[in-house]
Amino acid sequence: GLRSRIDFFNLSQTNLKHIENGFFNTFQDLKQIHLEHNELEFLKNYYFKNLTKLVRLNLAHNFLSSIDSYSFSNLNHLEYLDL
């Protein structure tokens, strides 16, 4: 379906406070995620676990105070990470 072919996701400047478990699971072709300028305080291991094609992840200008140990462990193609 359409959801599986989406490769760019922009949720920047949306006052996002948390990410639901499994939210990105149906978007496995994602190459870029923009979550900058939000209110995220923590990153959990499962947020990005199935996003093996992800190349760019922007989390800048959030309120991150806690990042789980394996938050980025499956991101084998990640080239750009901004915290």
Side-chain angles (χ1 to χ4, degrees):
L2 177 62
R3 292 183 100 192
S4 64
R5 291 189 307 242
I6 293 174
D7 67 355
F8 180 89
F9 215 97
N10 186 354
L11 287 172
S12 60
Q13 300 181 11
T14 57
N15 299 317
L16 188 68
K17 295 181 192 298
H18 71 279
I19 300 170
E20 291 294 325
N21 184 8
F23 176 78
F24 291 113
N25 284 355
T26 57
F27 301 102
Q28 294 182 6
D29 285 335
L30 279 174
K31 293 183 180 155
Q32 292 190 49
I33 299 176
H34 291 267
L35 297 168
E36 64 270 21
H37 297 281
N38 279 301
E39 299 176 20
L40 295 171
E41 295 181 14
F42 52 85
L43 296 178
K44 298 291 183 184
N45 291 332
Y46 53 78
Y47 283 177
F48 311 112
K49 73 175 183 178
N50 293 320
L51 302 177
T52 57
K53 298 178 183 177
L54 195 67
V55 174
R56 185 176 187 94
L57 178 58
N58 193 334
L59 293 156
H61 304 287
N62 277 283
F63 302 112
L64 293 173
S65 61
S66 172
I67 299 174
D68 284 356
S69 300
Y70 297 103
S71 294
F72 310 115
S73 64
N74 291 331
L75 304 180
N76 301 328
H77 291 96
L78 193 66
E79 295 177 6
Y80 177 89
L81 173 64
D82 193 345
L83 297 173

